[in-house]
């Protein structure tokens, strides 16, 4: 099983700042199978990034993904109030299709 | 517009059974893989199982935590996905989401999710 470890667990920032979230895999994951989801309280997850770096439909360009192999990053430039949420990385390269434990992005 | 609507959640005793449904609309359901994902109260997301499409023989995969107890199935004629849950345990308590799988040159992803249905396993 591929274990995804996200850091930090909680990130406290202010609107307008830049957020950098990390996802590290226990073994190599094809970039085609690494995604990022956003989840707000009481809501279903929403796909943000697929293929490690492609934005899903309707996702603003302040969200970007990068990385390869075992190290992946989600960057949010110029945080907006609606961006404060929990972010999960997920891999589909090897079953079971595991999630990271999540990074909570909170308002400082 | 793609819509996924789960139903069938509720309170069930340990050892009991429950069948969840996911009604799909707004897309060609039969073409897509479908996944179930769950989230225990206050916890993270956990992938539960997948069913592929007819082209890929409706094959299924499961998380180790549910294998042998849960069964994913689909009825393409009804645009519906199902999760049969047997021998339920208290640790199966969670919101269960169905999610559409989409695969193209950009890779695989769950690009649409239902709103979830709550399953509570308790005596």
């Amino acid at each position: 099983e591929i274990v995804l470890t996200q850091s930090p667990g909680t990130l406290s920032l202010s609107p307008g700042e830049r957020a950098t979230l990390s996802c590290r895999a226990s073994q190599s994951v094809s970039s085609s199978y690494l995604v990022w989801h956003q989840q707000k309280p009481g809501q279903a997850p929403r796909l943000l990034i697929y293929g490690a770096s492609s934005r899903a439909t309707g996702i603003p360009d302040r969200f970007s993904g990068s990385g390869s192999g075992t190290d992946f990053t989600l960057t949010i430039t110029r945080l907006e109030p609606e961006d404060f949420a929990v972010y999960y990385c997920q891999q589909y390269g090897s079953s079971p299709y595991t999630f990271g434990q999540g990074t909570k992005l909170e308002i400082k | 517009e793609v819509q996924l609507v789960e139903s069938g959640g509720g309170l069930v005793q340990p050892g009991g059974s429950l069948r969840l449904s996911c009604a799909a609309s707004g897309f060609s359901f039969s073409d897509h893989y479908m996944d179930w994902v769950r989230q225990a109260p206050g916890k993270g997301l956990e992938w539960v199982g997948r069913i592929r499409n007819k082209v890929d023989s409706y094959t299924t995969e499961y998380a180790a935590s549910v294998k042998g107890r849960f069964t994913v199935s689909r009825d393409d004629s009804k645009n519906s996905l199902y999760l049969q849950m047997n021998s339920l345990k208290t640790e199966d308590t969670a919101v269960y989401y169905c999610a559409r799988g989409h695969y193209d040159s950009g890779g695989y992803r769950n690009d649409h999710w239902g709103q979830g249905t709550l399953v509570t396993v308790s005596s």
Side-chain angles (χ1 to χ4, degrees), chain A residues 32-33 39 44 88 92 95 97, chain B residues 39 47 50 61 107-108 110 114:
Chain A
S32 296
Y33 299 111
Q39 187 179 35
Y88 295 94
Y92 300 105
S95 181
Y97 306 114
Chain B
Q39 186 169 37
W47 174 79
R50 170 179 294 176
E61 291 179 284
Y108 186 89
N110 291 122

Side-chain angles (χ1 to χ4, degrees), chain A residues 32-33 35 37 39 43-47 50-51 88 90 92 95-101, chain B residues 37 39 43-47 50 52 61 63 97 103 106-111 113-115:
Chain A
S32 296
Y33 299 111
V35 305
H37 301 285
Q39 187 179 35
Q43 296 185 16
R46 177 174 75 146
L47 177 69
Y50 64 93
Y88 295 94
Q90 185 189 9
Y92 300 105
S95 181
Y97 306 114
T98 46
F99 290 87
Q101 82 280 14
Chain B
V37 173
Q39 186 169 37
K43 303 297 184 182
L45 300 169
E46 180 188 17
W47 174 79
R50 170 179 294 176
R52 294 180 175 82
E61 291 179 284
Y97 297 100
Y103 182 77
Y108 186 89
R109 61 268 195 193
N110 291 122
D111 60 351
W113 296 66
Q115 84 290 346

Side-chain angles (χ1 to χ4, degrees), chain A residues 46-61:
Chain A
R46 177 174 75 146
L47 177 69
L48 291 177
I49 300 289
Y50 64 93
S53 61
S54 297
R55 278 187 299 278
T57 303
I59 301 304
D61 60 7

Side-chain angles (χ1 to χ4, degrees), chain A residues 35-106:
Chain A
V35 305
W36 291 89
H37 301 285
Q38 176 194 66
Q39 187 179 35
K40 297 179 180 179
Q43 296 185 16
R46 177 174 75 146
L47 177 69
L48 291 177
I49 300 289
Y50 64 93
S53 61
S54 297
R55 278 187 299 278
T57 303
I59 301 304
D61 60 7
R62 64 180 182 273
F63 290 91
S64 64
S66 63
S68 63
T70 60
D71 288 293
F72 299 90
T73 300
L74 174 69
T75 302
I76 313 170
T77 59
R78 303 180 309 277
L79 282 165
E80 298 285 345
E82 61 267 27
D83 298 337
F84 292 91
V86 180
Y87 293 84
Y88 295 94
C89 58
Q90 185 189 9
Q91 64 83 23
Y92 300 105
S94 173
S95 181
Y97 306 114
T98 46
F99 290 87
Q101 82 280 14
T103 290
K104 182 179 181 179
L105 179 57
E106 64 176 24

